[in-house]
Amino acid sequence: MKKLSLAVIIATMLSFPFAACAADKVVTKSKPDLSLKLELENAIGKGLTWLAAKQQPGGYWAQAEYPALSALALTAFQGDPSKFYKNKYEKNIKNGYDYLVKSAKPDGGIYGKDLANYNTSISMMALLMANNPSYEPLLKKGRKFIIGLQDDFGEKGMGDDPLDGGIGYGGTYKHSDLANTTFALEALYYTRFLKSDVANDPDAKDLNWQAAVQFISRTQNLPASNDQPWASDDPANKGGFVYFPADSKAGEQKLESGKTALRSYGSMSYAGLLSFIYAQVDKNDPRVKAVIDWLSKNYTLDENPGMGQDGLYYYLHTMAKGLSAAGVDTLTLKDGKKVNWRQDLARKLLDLQREDGSWVNKNGRWWEKDPHLVTAYATITLEILHRGL
């Protein structure tokens, strides 16, 4: 495989918002809307200004023991479309990266207290966005660390346990879940250009991508490709995703047939779409088509479908990444109406921004009462939208 330079990878990420499948080199864009783009630049600037003011003396944001929170803020600064705020807060950015580098462990992970995969994967994306060749050794070690977290509980290499092939938080919270698997696959996908550098390392190995795809499939309500007994093709759930095999944070649903289904929900369904893309599953694959169909039928910006206000900003953030990566320009809803989801989502986030430039969820599930986390999510989301408008 021809090695790609770090600069080429970054250019691809910024030109094509979280690039589409390998077979798709073009991500569709909406009809240019200069007025809305300028509104987004203003909102992004306010968000970055708020984040800059909240940075702690040690270079971190929110909690020093969770580097992912700082990594999300740094990713937001790196994505500034105007470059004005990125230049204005150059010192903040440097201090943030100095903190992130110091958070790296000898084992290759980038974490503090716990949640090793979550923190490492998100930190790797921030390091990659810096376009700094000096970070390549950290990224290589990070790759090795994440790959080492892939689960294989049953007979080795057989995929006989439903959790095989996925990745969990790491550490105490070991077993696989779709959210953590998505974060890990994202980091591995975008650093795949480093794979050739470690090919001769006797300790190096690549992720078992086939096992990862099997795990992803086992979290989807699609009996044709999911061998788990709970998988359902009833109209309300078919094609959507759950948190991990046999567990949905949206709960269960008793069907007329008497079967108990695990309810599909919004944020995990976008995570499932992204995971298939990072695993380079073809866009015409029935599993990809099925999840896009579920997402179209359940499209809303007012809640995380199936979860209400729980994880709303993670849902909106993952929506922007997922639909951009899949090359989806418009969605056809269940009533046949076509919507420009980029414009809808942009206006929604503009309305939700607070006067001081931050965003926050009144619902505290998954840390979303922390404005540092939510402001980073929202700012990155607006940057993705800006690149597609």
Side-chain angles (χ1 to χ4, degrees):
M1 182 179 71
K2 183 179 179 181
K3 181 183 175 183
L4 299 177
S5 71
L6 184 57
V8 169
I9 293 291
I10 299 301
T12 301
M13 289 171 64
L14 293 178
S15 299
F16 307 112
F18 294 90
C21 301
D24 271 338
K25 297 304 182 185
V26 178
V27 172
T28 56
K29 292 189 176 185
S30 306
K31 184 177 180 180
D33 189 334
L34 179 58
S35 175
L36 185 55
K37 291 185 76 167
L38 290 173
E39 288 187 69
L40 297 193
E41 288 183 21
N42 181 60
I44 290 166
K46 290 171 65 178
L48 294 176
T49 298
W50 186 89
L51 284 169
K54 298 300 179 180
Q55 188 177 29
Q56 298 300 308
Y60 65 89
W61 278 268
Q63 300 181 70
E65 59 268 35
Y66 295 108
L69 298 174
S70 298
L72 286 167
L74 289 168
T75 299
F77 280 106
Q78 293 291 0
D80 172 26
S82 73
K83 304 295 190 294
F84 176 84
Y85 299 95
K86 181 178 177 180
N87 293 328
K88 180 178 180 179
Y89 298 117
E90 184 177 359
K91 184 176 180 180
N92 298 76
I93 296 171
K94 180 186 182 303
N95 290 340
Y97 277 108
D98 288 346
Y99 152 77
L100 210 57
V101 169
K102 290 177 183 176
S103 298
K105 304 291 187 185
D107 62 8
I110 305 170
Y111 57 94
K113 181 174 175 286
D114 49 31
L115 313 183
N117 170 63
Y118 171 79
N119 283 284
T120 301
S121 298
I122 293 175
S123 295
M124 285 177 63
M125 292 302 296
L127 291 168
L128 185 63
M129 290 288 287
N131 194 17
N132 185 340
S134 71
Y135 294 152
E136 287 195 14
L138 287 175
L139 291 170
K140 293 175 189 176
K141 292 183 70 176
R143 282 182 59 85
K144 184 175 180 180
F145 178 77
I146 292 174
I147 289 168
L149 295 176
Q150 188 175 32
D151 283 333
D152 190 353
F153 288 112
E155 187 177 347
K156 297 303 179 185
M158 297 303 295
D160 50 340
D161 189 289
L163 298 174
D164 285 353
I167 296 174
Y169 280 110
T172 304
Y173 310 100
K174 182 173 173 54
H175 76 71
S176 309
D177 65 75
L178 183 57
N180 273 285
T181 298
T182 305
F183 289 130
L185 297 187
E186 180 180 51
L188 294 175
Y189 176 81
Y190 284 116
T191 59
R192 67 195 186 281
F193 70 103
L194 294 173
K195 179 182 172 184
S196 60
D197 286 354
V198 295
N200 297 320
D201 181 349
D203 296 322
K205 63 176 182 178
D206 195 8
L207 192 78
N208 184 338
W209 287 93
Q210 183 177 355
V213 171
Q214 183 181 52
F215 172 78
I216 300 162
S217 298
R218 282 173 167 170
T219 62
Q220 186 176 25
N221 265 311
L222 200 63
S225 51
N226 185 352
D227 59 6
Q228 299 303 292
W230 55 266
S232 174
D233 59 1
D234 71 283
N237 295 299
K238 182 180 179 181
F241 282 77
V242 302
Y243 188 51
F244 63 82
D247 183 86
S248 172
K249 298 306 178 188
E252 299 178 347
Q253 181 177 356
K254 197 75 172 179
L255 304 178
E256 290 183 4
S257 64
K259 178 178 180 178
T260 298
L262 296 181
R263 294 181 65 209
S264 300
Y265 63 105
S267 51
M268 280 307 97
S269 296
Y270 280 114
L273 173 61
L274 276 169
S275 290
F276 278 141
I277 290 170
Y278 297 144
Q280 301 187 62
V281 174
D282 191 270
K283 70 173 184 177
N284 293 315
D285 188 284
R287 292 166 292 185
V288 176
K289 288 185 173 181
V291 65
I292 292 177
D293 182 61
W294 187 92
L295 292 166
S296 298
K297 291 176 179 176
N298 291 274
Y299 173 78
T300 178
L301 302 179
D302 295 327
E303 64 176 5
N304 180 359
M307 298 299 299
Q309 297 303 300
D310 291 5
L312 175 65
Y313 284 89
Y314 168 69
Y315 162 71
L316 298 176
H317 174 76
T318 311
M319 173 192 289
K321 288 168 71 173
L323 294 178
S324 293
V328 176
D329 193 23
T330 60
L331 289 173
T332 302
L333 309 189
K334 57 186 175 183
D335 62 1
K337 177 184 176 182
K338 289 185 179 293
V339 296
N340 184 318
W341 64 268
R342 288 189 181 93
Q343 292 181 354
D344 280 1
L345 180 51
R347 294 184 179 114
K348 179 70 174 181
L349 287 173
L350 290 174
D351 288 342
L352 290 172
Q353 189 173 30
R354 300 195 296 183
E355 289 186 10
D356 64 2
S358 68
W359 286 264
V360 73
N361 191 346
K362 293 180 181 179
N363 184 306
R365 191 80 185 271
W366 298 307
W367 299 13
E368 288 204 0
K369 275 193 176 180
D370 183 347
H372 304 86
L373 172 67
V374 175
T375 300
Y377 274 156
T379 304
I380 295 169
T381 303
L382 289 180
E383 291 167 353
I384 295 169
L385 297 173
H386 184 279
R387 294 194 289 269
L389 286 171

